[in-house]
Every structure is written in structure tokens, then in C-alpha cells.
Amino acid sequence: MPDLSGKVAIVTGCASGIGAATVRRLAADGAQVLGTDVDADGGEALCKEAAAHFATQDVSDRALWPQIVSTAVERFGRLDILVNNAGIVSAAEDGASIGEVDDATWDRVIAVNLSGTMAGCRAAIPAMANTGGGAIINIASTTALAPLPTDVGYSSSKGAVRVMSKSIATWCAQQGNGIRCNTVIPGATDTGILDSTEAEMPGFKASVASTSPMNRLADPAETAAAIAFLASDECPFMTGAEMLVDGGALSIHPGF
Ligand SMILES: NC(=O)c1ccc[n+]([C@@H]2O[C@H](COP(=O)([O-])OP(=O)(O)OC[C@H]3O[C@@H](n4cnc5c(N)ncnc54)[C@H](O)[C@@H]3O)[C@@H](O)[C@H]2O)c1
């Protein structure tokens, strides 16, 4: 297991799914963790269970990001790890393909998934640089590589997160500030995001699982393990990299 003792982490979207598993994993590996979420009750409960600290945050509120970073630094003395995990799919009753998407749906998914991730990186970098560096892990999706025709905003936001992470990684490397920025690309994972679709379309999860070579969904803890590795000092030459955690789902498509 990577040793994260002495490190301080912020994990967004900590109340559920991959974020919850990441808080548990980073804390188990020795980090002091500040979890954040719009879901205050769920986030509080998870952080209490994992012996982490919690702050309510809507990641799309860009003006709030410096305060979140200050909360971590004031409470724990430094910031070493940022996991930009909070994310949403387009919730549009009339659909979210390019033939259907409305401005509000597009704007919201871009604000949370892309602008929220950018604002987190922008706020965290000076704090990390103050103590010699750190690790940023941004969460994209296989839809960044194999986009969903039914959700143009989500797929676009995740594609942009991939490219933005490389821009941030190369800038930080050129600055020599000791900060690495990498992307984790999960495939279909058994979390709340899929639960909402399952409620509307019973059998959805089983049908997604059946398209995977492993014939199952990922457990969020399996994604958290990749995040913990990238957060650790085990991979000092990895930056601008992408780690697929998709059970081989993209590998069966030519070109990936
Ligand atoms: N589950 C999958 O199949 C899958 C696949 C690829 C990528 N992802 C990505 O993984 C990340 C985590 O998703 P998950 O599957 O764990 O979903 P989830 O719905 O279980 O958890 C997402 C969490 O983010 C929180 N959140 C939503 N909007 C927020 C906001 N504006 N500010 C702060 N918190 C907010 C939610 O309250 C929730 O706790 C997302 O970025 C998602 O796009 C998930």
C-alpha cells in the first residue's frame, strides 16, 4: 500500500461512490483528509466514519475554492494532494444529446465537471508549491475517449478534463514547482451515478456490465487504489499521465 503518512489531501464529491472510497483509502494509507461535497449530511457521515474532516462545497462555486484550500492548510498545516472527483451527468428530462441539450443543462455539467476541476487546480497549486510540491488527480471517464451520443455535455467535459490535466502537468513541470497532475479514467463503476439510471431503466447496470470483458462493474475501491498510487511518492516521474481503470472495456475497441 502507498504510504501517505504526513500528507494532507482534499477529495471532492466525498459523500458517495468513488469520492467516498477515495477518502477511506487515503485515510487508511495515512493521509489527513478534507472531504467536500454539496451533500452535507452524506459527506459529514462519511468523513466521520473515515476519521476525516468535512466541508460543504459546490465545486462549481469558483470563488469558494481558495477558502476550501485555506481550510485544509489552516487545519492540517499544508496541502499535498487534490482529488477533483465531484462530477455529474446531464440531468435533462428531454435528453442531453446534441439534438436535445438545452443551455442550462450544458452550462451546469461544464461548470461542475470542467470549471470546478480547473478552479480546484488553480487554488491548490500555490499552496502545494509553498511546501515543495504535490499531486493533483483529476477524474475523467471513458466517455472522454468513447463519448456517449446521449450526453454531449458530460462526454465533452470529461474530454476537456483530460487535456486540461496535461496542460497543468506540463506547466507545473516547467515551473519546477514539484507538482504532478495526472488523470484517472474510470469505466463503469458501481456508484450513485449509475444508480439513478438504474432506477429509471431497471437492468441498466447489468447491461453495462455485460459490455465489459470482465463482465462486471468496477468497485469504487478499485478506482481509489489507482488514485492513491498517483497521490503517493511511488511515481515521481508520472505527470500528464492517464490511468485507465475500466476492466479492459476500451481495449476491446480498435484504436484504444
Ligand atoms: N460511476 C461511473 O461509472 C463513473 C465512470 C467514469 C467516471 N466517473 C466519474 O467519477 C466521479 C465520481 O462519480 P461517482 O460515480 O462516484 O458518482 P456519485 O454520484 O456516486 O458521487 C458523486 C458525488 O459528487 C457530489 N457532487 C455532485 N455535484 C457536486 C458539486 N457541484 N460539488 C461538490 N460535490 C458534488 C455528489 O453529491 C456525490 O456525493 C465523477 O467525476 C464521475 O464523472 C464515474
Side-chain angles (χ1 to χ4, degrees):
M1 275 170 61
D3 180 10
L4 301 181
S5 48
K7 295 193 185 294
V8 174
I10 295 174
V11 179
T12 68
C14 72
S16 172
I18 294 169
T22 301
V23 171
R24 290 191 185 106
R25 176 63 196 248
L26 299 191
D29 289 352
Q32 292 177 293
V33 184
L34 173 66
T36 81
D37 207 291
V38 278
D39 174 1
D41 291 344
E44 282 271 16
L46 184 283
C47 288
K48 194 170 169 197
E49 172 214 308
H53 186 67
F54 176 74
T56 304
Q57 180 193 24
D58 178 342
V59 296
S60 73
D61 181 350
R62 288 182 258 172
L64 186 66
W65 259 109
Q67 197 180 310
I68 293 294
V69 169
S70 296
T71 300
V73 172
E74 280 161 22
R75 184 162 186 97
F76 300 122
R78 54 190 293 125
L79 179 65
D80 305 284
I81 298 161
L82 171 64
V83 184
N84 281 307
N85 163 76
I88 54 171
V89 290
S90 299
E93 280 180 17
D94 296 331
S97 71
I98 190 62
E100 303 150 320
V101 70
D102 59 80
D103 284 349
T105 299
W106 171 270
D107 288 348
R108 183 67 189 150
V109 80
I110 295 294
V112 173
N113 296 357
L114 177 58
S115 304
T117 298
M118 181 283 295
C121 296
R122 185 173 61 187
I125 285 169
M128 289 178 170
N130 271 344
T131 46
I136 297 171
I137 298 97
N138 294 329
I139 309 303
S141 159
T142 47
T143 64
L145 295 148
L148 296 170
T150 51
D151 197 337
V152 65
Y154 182 75
S155 308
S156 302
S157 70
K158 293 301 186 177
V161 164
R162 284 184 65 211
V163 176
M164 182 178 71
S165 301
K166 290 176 187 290
S167 173
I168 292 167
T170 49
W171 184 79
C172 286
Q174 287 166 353
Q175 297 295 306
N177 63 16
I179 299 170
R180 297 179 294 107
C181 180
N182 292 295
T183 306
V184 166
I185 303 184
T189 310
D190 198 359
T191 71
I193 271 188
L194 297 194
D195 286 342
S196 49
T197 313
E198 175 76 22
E200 287 163 21
M201 297 167 46
F204 170 76
K205 282 205 214 177
S207 112
V208 172
S210 72
T211 65
S212 158
M214 290 193 181
N215 199 30
R216 67 175 177 87
L217 302 173
D219 184 302
E222 295 173 306
T223 314
I227 294 169
F229 171 71
L230 290 171
S232 76
D233 294 335
E234 301 287 328
C235 48
F237 206 55
M238 283 184 76
T239 195
E242 298 173 333
M243 213 180 246
L244 265 176
V245 187
D246 74 338
L250 287 187
S251 300
I252 57 174
H253 295 289
F256 291 115

